[in-house]
Amino acid sequence: MTKQTLVRALTKFQTLTRSLCTSAATSDAALKNVTKSNFEPVLAELRRVVRESDFVSIDLEMTGLTSAPWRECFEFDRPDIQYLKVKDSAEKFAVVQFGVCPFRWDQLNNSFVAHPHNFYIFPRQEIQGDGLSYEFLCQTSSMEFLAKYQFDFNACFYEGISYLSRSQEEEALRRLDSVYKDELVDPSSNVREFADTELVRMADILYAERMKNKISDWRAGLSRDRNGGSDFQESSVDMNQNFQTTFFKLRPALAVNGLTSRQLRLIKLVMNLLPFSIFLPDVTEKHFKDLAYVHVTCEPSGLRPLLVYTDSIADRDMLMREVKDCRRKEEEMKIKAAVGFRHVLDLLSSERKLIVGHNCFLDLAHIYRKFFGPLPLTAEEFVSAVQKYFPYIIDTKVMLNSNDVLLRIMKRGSTSLSKAFRLLCSQLPATLTSSGLPNEPRVKVEVQVDDQRFSNWNSGAKHEAGYDAFMTGSIFAKACCHIGIDFNPDVPTVDLLHEEKLLKYVNHLYLSWVNENIIDLKTGKIVAESLGSTNIKRQNLKILSPNMVLLWGLTSNLRAKEFRDCLLKVYGTGSVTSIYHLDDTAAFVQFSKAEFVSKFLELKDNLERVNDPISILHPLSKLLEAGCVRAAGYEIYKEICSSPISELFFTDQVEAIGLKLKTRLELAIEIKRQEKYKINSLHFCEDRKDTDPEINATGTHSSCHFPGDELVDSLFPVEAQMSK
């Protein structure tokens, strides 16, 4: 390239950059924020946009990630443990923002059109008496992060859209159906809650008698008006304004106003069919059998009690059935209205769209827990359940780390959302490629907010879910172009679901980015080989759970080097592969051989049972802290992680769960010792007594050990199964 050509290219780039700055400044548009006040019209429009879309990108903002430091994902966590930690996070923290951004291919403009939506959601209790607590944790670092980027907490807490999961909705409808059926079988069941009120106070007795007389006078007045032919006057009011004559379903009724709950209870006792007190022996079925006590919805005061006059018992029963049917329909409408934001997830599920996220396994766990039902106990069950609702999911983080072209663009470094967007989606005019280089594949992304459309869009809403969803979708569109997908302007639609170049990425998600474990959502299994990891350290890291011992109850001043020195003195050079700290109170030791696990556990047990000078001078005594330190195989770690309890320190967690680990360990070792002697020792000794000096004259072995993987499988019963 000549010097003159280079100067012209730089001048052109500077001119375009100045033009870009001016364009961006004039094309700023607020993100489409959605709260309960505008949810209904936005949902109606979103249905159309999603139906026309080629894929939908999502992103979530939560109140936290980990309920305790030891619940973070570590490199030594097996996939089943990783799922348990994701499950715990999704169960304990709330989602406060949900980003949904449908992308549609526009053939006329040869570009994708994005429709970013930023939903504020909040788990408000919409159905009274459903027993749901809606408690959630807040992690300080996560809340500080939200506040740093001007998250609107008021909009979330006061205007956030509530929701019911499918399981909650089904349970609410079942509960309503049960109540309705009970009332049909036993019409008096709706007043039994008042049966425990006895008229034992003189004030109650006098009030009940006065109400009986007042109701009797009112009913007698109705009869006189009918027999005498006088016109019935609606809204006639008595002296104290508490009772008002009106109509209900073409029947005269007495509206009760301004009374306390106890006064209403007493009136209902008077109205009941059976006597409730020996002080009112004449309140029997012959009184008021033609009156019905009902509650009707009345704004703004809510429920309004009415005493309705009926022509006969049959008419009264028919009225009560009508009232109950209306009440049932009202309650069903309340339940349907409480579904709230879940309508968005139902929409995405029913349309069977390709869902795109960035490092989104935790997002999926939150989605399932909040909007569908309780999380399954295992990862295999979870992915099977998720596939029923979302059969096509792509993780852009997997794409970025699994393709050589994309890895080069990412400079073989971090694949965070913001960095990927900066490198792949620089906002330059369509006349240049995305990096300003000729011959580079490119696809345009435009944004539509309400009726405005922008080629260069900046919402000014950094780290909000709606904008992050837009970035995720834009990264996916650009990545598709880089891996060789041709967005032909002559083709009216883009069929990404059947694009061969995408098949290896569909339904492959990072279960844990720390471990780079990719889970196949179709099978629930971990992909045997990473699709393109560049982290040599992680690739070479071998985590062998049968070789690992879990220690807790440690003192904070005992570090990894002291761990290693103590163990190497006992088991020799090369016996310890790695030491991993969960926190200051607990750590894992990975031995080079599984048999060291059983040897260590038995030796620890023997040292603690025999408290003599030799034991005190043993190299492990410094590590074991005179019986304060506990130890177990890897499986107990899974049992502890599966507990819903989350104490700050791991040692406190074990204590809170209440596991009798030392007793169980001794029992397991004793059982193994007996099995060994009873079943194996005779043949073992016969085979080795001539060559093994450790076998004494009686033919018994001087020390007991057994394969570590067998111990890990049998030591402890497992009571429960198991970022960006």
Side-chain angles (χ1 to χ4, degrees), residues 474-486:
S474 300
I475 291 169
F476 174 68
K478 301 283 187 175
C480 285
C481 196
H482 282 289
I483 66 175
I485 297 177
D486 182 18

Side-chain angles (χ1 to χ4, degrees), residues 177 333 384 429 458 497 619 646:
D177 188 60
M333 292 295 291
S384 175
N458 179 13
L497 288 178
S646 285

Side-chain angles (χ1 to χ4, degrees), residues 248 294-306 326-327 330-331 334:
F248 180 71
V294 300
H295 280 91
V296 297
T297 303
C298 179
E299 297 295 340
S301 59
L303 292 178
R304 184 183 187 186
L306 292 179
C326 289
R327 187 169 61 204
E330 288 177 359
E331 293 300 320
K334 289 180 181 178

Side-chain angles (χ1 to χ4, degrees), residues 116-187:
H117 294 74
N118 191 55
F119 293 89
Y120 284 94
I121 65 175
F122 188 72
R124 194 175 295 102
Q125 187 172 7
E126 298 285 356
I127 303 176
Q128 296 300 320
D130 61 2
L132 300 176
S133 62
Y134 293 104
E135 296 176 350
F136 59 85
L137 298 181
C138 292
Q139 192 173 6
T140 303
S141 57
S142 296
M143 303 305 284
E144 285 180 339
F145 178 84
L146 293 175
K148 177 182 178 181
Y149 291 100
Q150 290 79 50
F151 181 87
D152 193 339
F153 291 98
N154 282 335
C156 176
F157 298 152
Y158 290 109
E159 291 294 320
I161 308 160
S162 189
Y163 52 84
L164 285 183
S165 69
R166 288 193 177 185
S167 62
Q168 289 171 335
E169 181 190 8
E170 291 168 359
E171 175 59 29
L173 291 173
R174 279 196 300 267
R175 188 168 55 247
L176 176 61
D177 188 60
S178 176
V179 171
Y180 181 75
K181 287 181 178 179
D182 289 343
E183 290 186 354
L184 286 181
V185 173
D186 183 4

Side-chain angles (χ1 to χ4, degrees), residues 44 62 88 121 227 237 257 285 298 348 358 371 392 413 415 476 509 518 523 559 613 656 684 701 712 720:
M62 308 103 169
D88 177 80
I121 65 175
N227 295 332
V237 184
N257 304 309
E285 187 175 357
C298 179
L348 299 180
H358 188 82
F371 307 112
Y392 313 106
T415 53
F476 174 68
L509 275 65
I518 297 176
T523 64
R559 309 313 300 168
F684 178 79
H701 205 278
V712 169

Side-chain angles (χ1 to χ4, degrees), residues 88 155 168-169 235 247 268 337 423 468 515 519 621 683-684:
D88 177 80
Q168 289 171 335
E169 181 190 8
S235 300
F247 280 100
K268 198 162 186 178
L423 294 179
D468 286 357
N515 311 69
I519 188 169
S621 61
H683 299 292
F684 178 79

Side-chain angles (χ1 to χ4, degrees), residues 194-210:
F194 300 95
D196 59 350
T197 303
E198 296 185 359
L199 304 182
V200 295
R201 298 190 307 183
M202 182 56 65
D204 291 342
I205 295 172
L206 294 176
Y207 185 82
E209 184 67 22
R210 191 163 62 249

Side-chain angles (χ1 to χ4, degrees), residues 425-453:
C425 309
S426 55
Q427 300 295 298
L428 293 177
T431 52
L432 285 182
T433 59
S434 60
S435 66
L437 300 176
N439 303 321
E440 181 185 346
R442 133 167 216 101
V443 62
K444 292 191 298 181
V445 175
E446 299 180 345
V447 174
Q448 184 165 333
V449 179
D450 294 327
D451 296 328
Q452 294 180 294
R453 188 157 164 175

